[in-house]
């Protein structure tokens, strides 16, 4: 298994570059590198860790139950169960999850 470079991009313009170990999820790689990303269940069920794949290839280690097929087709991934299969670039942060669901309180 190979290691890959993960470039994380936030809406405020901040970027971080981290390296994933083989069979490591994006959240695990970020935690090891000391980069804070939002997460909740760590099982692909809550979508708190939603990111959008901008470039590269990701495979989910288990079914990302919180994503509808149309979300996956649009490039959304769940960082808690997403394992890089190439160098990749992801848009991350709580704003990304907000793109999937409408908030009736806004």
């Amino acid at each position: 298994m190979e290691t890959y470079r993960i470039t994380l991009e936030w809406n405020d313009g901040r970027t971080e570059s981290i390296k994933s170990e083989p069979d490591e999820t994006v959240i695990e790689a970020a935690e090891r590198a000391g980069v804070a990303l939002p997460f909740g269940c760590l099982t692909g069920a809550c979508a708190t860790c939603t990111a959008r794949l901008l470039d590269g290839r990701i495979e989910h280690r288990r079914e990302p139950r919180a994503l509808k097929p149309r979300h996956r087709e649009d490039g959304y991934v769940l960082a808690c169960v997403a394992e890089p299969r190439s160098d990749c670039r992801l848009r991350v942060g709580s704003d990304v999850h907000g793109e999937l669901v409408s908030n009736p309180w806004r």
Side-chain angles (χ1 to χ4, degrees), residues 23-39:
D23 294 327
E24 190 173 47
T25 67
V26 173
I27 289 290
E28 290 167 343
E31 286 288 307
R32 188 176 40 74
V35 176
L37 293 177
F39 65 89

Side-chain angles (χ1 to χ4, degrees), residues 47 50-53 60 64-78 96-102:
T50 301
R52 190 160 192 186
L53 183 64
H60 288 103
R65 294 176 290 158
L67 293 179
K68 296 183 180 337
R70 71 175 191 276
H71 297 145
R72 294 177 70 176
E73 290 169 8
D74 287 342
Y76 291 99
V77 300
L78 297 182
V96 180
H97 177 256
E99 296 171 4
L100 300 183
V101 293
S102 61

Side-chain angles (χ1 to χ4, degrees), residues 5-83:
R5 178 193 320 262
I6 306 169
T7 302
L8 306 169
E9 300 179 6
W10 284 260
N11 280 345
D12 65 3
R14 182 170 58 112
T15 64
E16 294 275 353
S17 183
I18 61 175
K19 185 181 277 188
S20 71
E21 296 295 326
D23 294 327
E24 190 173 47
T25 67
V26 173
I27 289 290
E28 290 167 343
E31 286 288 307
R32 188 176 40 74
V35 176
L37 293 177
F39 65 89
C41 69
L42 296 176
T43 64
C46 75
T48 302
C49 63
T50 301
R52 190 160 192 186
L53 183 64
L54 303 173
D55 192 29
R57 197 165 67 84
I58 291 278
E59 288 183 12
H60 288 103
R61 93 170 24 158
R62 62 173 27 187
E63 181 69 22
R65 294 176 290 158
L67 293 179
K68 296 183 180 337
R70 71 175 191 276
H71 297 145
R72 294 177 70 176
E73 290 169 8
D74 287 342
Y76 291 99
V77 300
L78 297 182
C80 72
V81 292
E83 296 178 354

